[in-house]
Structure formats: C-alpha cells, structure tokens
Amino acid sequence: MEYRTEHDSMGEVLVPTDKYYGAQTARSLENFKIGTEKIPMEIIKAFAYLKAACANTNLEFGKLESKKAEIINTVCNEILSGKLDTHFPLSVWQT
C-alpha cells in the first residue's frame, strides 16, 4: 500500500493514497482500535444531504461560486450513491 504524509496539530501521519480522508481520520484509526462499530452510513448520508442543501442555498444567495457548488454537489451525490463508503472508516467510539 502506498501512503502520503498529512499533517495535523500533532504532527505528521501517513494516510493511504487511495483515501480522501486526512490526518485526523488516520490518527483516529490508530487510536481507537476498539470495537467493530463504525459510524452508520445513514448519518454520513444525512450530512451529504445537508452539505448539498447548504451549497445550493449559498449559491442561490451569491455566497458560493457555482464551480464550488457543483463540486460539492458532485461529491455529495457520490456519497449518497455509496461510491465513497470506504472513505468513512471511523469508529463510533472515537466520540
């Protein structure tokens, strides 16, 4: 597996290059190796609906560029379709 180096307030951490998540998620995976329960995809998808709605509202009010709103909507649709499920690996126990 190949890795890239990401940074957070605690320093550097390696993240798989095929994942979209960053340093804090990678660090969480190292620090919370308890249980098998992951954050439910229903919650992740609810946030995707929320993010898309916020992007569209901010676009409508002239607070967000159309290109950025388009990108946000594209990613939200990918999340809702299940295409990005493996990019949300966090344990419910981290919170």
Side-chain angles (χ1 to χ4, degrees), residues 7 20 23 27 31 36 38 40-41 44-45 47 50 74 82 84 95:
H7 301 85
Y20 289 143
R27 201 172 298 286
N31 293 330
T36 58
K38 302 295 180 196
M41 285 310 299
I44 303 299
K45 289 181 179 185
F47 276 109
L50 179 63
T74 297
L84 301 178
T95 59

Side-chain angles (χ1 to χ4, degrees), residues 53-65:
C54 289
N56 293 331
T57 300
N58 281 295
L59 175 64
E60 183 179 329
F61 287 129
K63 302 293 183 182
L64 186 65
E65 299 170 12

Side-chain angles (χ1 to χ4, degrees), residues 22-73:
Q24 291 181 343
T25 297
R27 201 172 298 286
S28 175
L29 292 172
E30 284 296 314
N31 293 330
F32 292 95
K33 293 183 178 183
I34 60 171
T36 58
E37 303 87 354
K38 302 295 180 196
I39 295 177
M41 285 310 299
E42 292 84 359
I43 291 176
I44 303 299
K45 289 181 179 185
F47 276 109
Y49 281 115
L50 179 63
K51 296 273 186 179
C54 289
N56 293 331
T57 300
N58 281 295
L59 175 64
E60 183 179 329
F61 287 129
K63 302 293 183 182
L64 186 65
E65 299 170 12
S66 62
K67 183 64 177 169
K68 287 183 181 181
E70 181 182 326
I71 292 168
I72 291 168
N73 277 292

